Amino acid sequence: MVNLAAGLDDAEIAIAAARAGAEAVCARYGQRLTRIDKGAGDFATDADVAAEEAILGVIRAARPEDAVHGEEGGQQGAAGAVRQWLVDPLCGTLNYAVGSMLVAVNVALRNGPAAVADPFSGEVFFTDGATAWVRRDGGDTRLAPTAATQLVDVNLDPPFPSAPGFRAVDVLAHPGFVERFRPRVVSTTLALAWVAAGKRAAYVTDGGDLAESVHFAAGIALCRAAGCVVTGVDGTPIGQAARGLVVASDAETHGLLLSMIRGRGS
């Protein structure tokens, strides 16, 4: 892996790193896990830590001078470095800990290529920063967002920093929502990759400005490169003091969801 990684471009490094993390996640699936308490009901497991170490091994071998911000290991290198990797080694830890396979491994170079691996399907969704693809069974297919499924994934996990002004659960209760869409709650940012791939029409979550979040950076990069509409819950562009996310396959779907969030529309 060390020799291979040294000759890869940034997109292939992101893919290789995400795959390394996915292998570590699969290797520990179904085993007895050690939980690491983070407070407020949140926790990591030894699988999270092992996956992050596997990811960092690839990045260090290929780009030893780059900074990394990992979900488990924190900041390594200068926080303001031009080249910084954002790593979430196991998004959906609670799912994983109870035996659910709905998880993602997220690796993103800030303002550059990114990859999201689904450890159990074997798919790796990735972008070189300009276009977005899924790699499966040795072949690459261009991602094509579509609202055809009418499925909207909504993150209902706390905290809810925008309440009471915005609560994701209220979107589900809007009369217009049930007329046009069907809700899904998978509790992992794998759902963002699914929007880029056309498996979901949209994704909605509360939160702060998530542009450089280790949880969301890779999924946001994928969706942007695939041509999705990406804003905060108030329509503000991501990276410009936006809060939360409304990511939609097309402008019509995005507009409908924003109108519901604002209490208008039908």
Side-chain angles (χ1 to χ4, degrees), residues 33-62:
L33 300 171
T34 299
R35 295 196 180 195
I36 303 159
D37 183 42
K38 293 184 175 182
D42 192 17
F43 63 90
T45 71
D46 47 345
D48 297 69
V49 175
E52 184 162 307
E53 280 302 313
I55 291 166
L56 294 183
V58 174
I59 295 172
R60 288 170 181 151

Side-chain angles (χ1 to χ4, degrees), residues 1 14-25 50-51 54-55 58 105 117:
M1 176 63 74
I15 293 168
R19 277 182 162 166
E23 289 172 3
V25 168
I55 291 166
V58 174
V105 176

Side-chain angles (χ1 to χ4, degrees), residues 202-205 229-234 244-248 254 257-258 261:
Y203 175 85
V204 179
T205 185
V229 182
V230 182
T231 72
V233 295
D234 60 353
L245 282 174
V246 178
V247 179
H254 186 268
L257 288 169
L258 275 187
I261 288 168

Side-chain angles (χ1 to χ4, degrees), residues 33-132:
L33 300 171
T34 299
R35 295 196 180 195
I36 303 159
D37 183 42
K38 293 184 175 182
D42 192 17
F43 63 90
T45 71
D46 47 345
D48 297 69
V49 175
E52 184 162 307
E53 280 302 313
I55 291 166
L56 294 183
V58 174
I59 295 172
R60 288 170 181 151
R63 300 288 190 268
E65 302 302 318
D66 288 0
V68 178
H69 184 195
E71 166 73 0
E72 308 310 329
Q75 183 67 39
Q76 300 180 40
V82 174
R83 290 181 57 87
Q84 173 159 258
W85 295 87
L86 303 170
V87 175
D88 183 359
L90 178 49
C91 186
T93 298
L94 182 55
N95 288 348
Y96 183 82
V98 298
S100 170
M101 294 181 176
L102 290 171
V103 301
V105 176
N106 297 314
V107 179
L109 179 62
R110 186 170 58 191
N111 300 319
V116 176
D118 180 339
F120 299 103
S121 75
E123 295 172 311
V124 182
F125 305 89
F126 69 94
T127 175
D128 57 6
T131 55

